[in-house]
Amino acid sequence: MTGALKPLSTSRDTLLDRLGRLVADRLQSQTSGYEPYTPSDPETLARTLRPGDILLVEGNQKVSAAIKYLTQSTWSHAALFVGDAVPLTLDQAALPATERPQLVEVNLGEGCVAVPLTKYRTYNTRICRPIGLTPEDRDTLIAFMISRLGLKYDMKNITDMLRYFLPTPPIPVRWRRRMIAFGSGDPTRAICSTLIAEAFEAIRYPILPDVTRAPGHAAATSPYSRQEILHIRHHSLYTPRDFDLSPYFEIVKPTLKYGFDYKRLEWGPDREGP
């Protein structure tokens, strides 16, 4: 989830490459004690997700703990659902929908890959849906992500990764977003959400833009008094939680999407207190 994405290379591994992979492996090791409250059901996700939706994930890796702290959020990872747009091998095409690669994401050490919904069977997740996308913009969004498949991390950018070994660094809140975006690569892919944010930036869809009043029309009676100007932030500054907080994305909960009726729930016997 950090480093720089670069095209595939056939050059030999250097010492920095090998050291970078070692650091990445350590950061990807899982933390103990993770237990999801409402683990995802891949079949329900497959029925609910639409191409262009973002799936947020509560990760349980060491790097996830640092991202959660720095962003003050439950969500440490983001993937874009592209449906059946990923080119499949014959073996993949024969698999059930939940096992075919339908999510495009960026992973530490791997780069940009396509993964199945079953990958997040045991994780808390959240669906964030952009509202009002035109079919053309949705196609552009998905094509952007598909075209990035295969991009790899430049494992030499070890500085980008080492900071995540300090899950609670003494960083003021106002600087934490900049710390995540910090990087030595070009372009920097500090965490998974930046590539997705870049895709939405390409179609001029807002996530958390800066908003200012239109200048020169301050009078309350002016027809321009309510006009605002949106300033798109740079994609490298976006984090997974921004899609959750954005006023331009709908939070879709599969349980409620398909006729939730609390009267039909079967309750077990009350548990005794501690």
Side-chain angles (χ1 to χ4, degrees):
M1 293 187 186
T2 182
L5 284 171
K6 293 193 174 183
L8 292 170
S9 174
T10 57
S11 61
R12 291 187 305 170
D13 285 351
T14 66
L15 177 61
L16 281 177
D17 287 317
R18 294 193 291 273
L19 182 58
R21 277 199 299 273
L22 178 63
V23 172
D25 289 343
R26 291 286 301 277
L27 284 172
Q28 290 181 99
S29 61
Q30 295 184 351
T31 57
S32 60
Y34 177 79
E35 185 175 348
Y37 288 101
T38 55
S40 298
D41 170 27
E43 288 74 21
T44 302
L45 284 179
R47 183 174 62 169
T48 307
L49 285 164
R50 300 176 186 171
D53 286 353
I54 294 170
L55 187 71
L56 300 182
V57 182
E58 181 187 43
N60 67 337
Q61 299 173 333
K62 288 183 178 179
V63 67
S64 304
I67 292 173
K68 291 176 188 178
Y69 169 76
L70 290 170
T71 63
Q72 297 294 285
S73 170
T74 296
W75 312 113
S76 62
H77 186 67
L80 189 83
F81 183 73
V82 299
D84 296 326
V86 177
L88 303 178
T89 65
L90 290 177
D91 290 340
Q92 290 174 328
L95 295 173
T98 56
E99 297 180 23
R100 295 197 295 265
Q102 295 186 312
L103 295 169
V104 176
E105 63 183 20
V106 176
N107 293 321
L108 178 63
E110 286 185 287
C112 188
V113 296
V115 300
L117 295 174
T118 50
K119 177 179 179 179
Y120 296 115
R121 184 189 299 274
T122 59
Y123 293 84
N124 292 325
T125 60
R126 170 162 291 175
I127 298 172
C128 299
R129 175 167 297 163
I131 299 302
L133 280 185
T134 65
E136 295 77 15
D137 279 348
R138 181 175 284 105
D139 290 344
T140 300
L141 182 73
I142 293 171
F144 182 99
M145 296 298 290
I146 296 294
S147 70
R148 268 60 178 180
L149 288 173
L151 292 180
K152 298 292 185 180
Y153 272 107
D154 180 1
M155 303 306 291
K156 300 181 185 68
N157 293 322
I158 298 172
T159 305
D160 289 352
M161 295 184 283
L162 288 177
R163 63 196 139 140
Y164 290 112
F165 279 110
L166 299 173
T168 56
I171 303 296
V173 173
R174 66 182 180 276
W175 292 345
R176 288 176 187 167
R177 185 183 293 266
R178 289 286 177 180
M179 179 180 176
I180 290 176
F182 168 80
S184 55
D186 183 22
T188 297
R189 303 288 184 235
I191 53 176
C192 49
S193 51
T194 61
L195 185 64
I196 298 175
E198 187 177 1
F200 277 96
E201 187 177 296
I203 62 172
R204 306 298 289 175
Y205 191 95
I207 302 172
L208 286 180
D210 294 320
V211 180
T212 58
R213 291 288 181 180
H217 302 287
T221 57
S222 167
Y224 303 99
S225 61
R226 289 186 298 275
Q227 283 195 359
E228 296 173 325
I229 297 175
L230 303 182
H231 302 274
I232 303 295
R233 300 169 187 258
H234 193 268
H235 56 262
S236 67
L237 297 179
Y238 282 104
T239 68
R241 80 160 189 171
D242 292 333
F243 297 102
D244 186 18
L245 298 179
S246 172
Y248 310 112
F249 286 77
E250 177 186 6
I251 304 304
V252 180
K253 297 188 176 182
T255 305
L256 306 180
K257 193 73 174 176
Y258 294 98
F260 171 69
D261 182 359
Y262 75 96
K263 291 292 188 181
R264 299 178 63 183
L265 296 178
E266 295 185 10
W267 294 87
D270 293 338
R271 295 182 179 179
E272 295 182 0

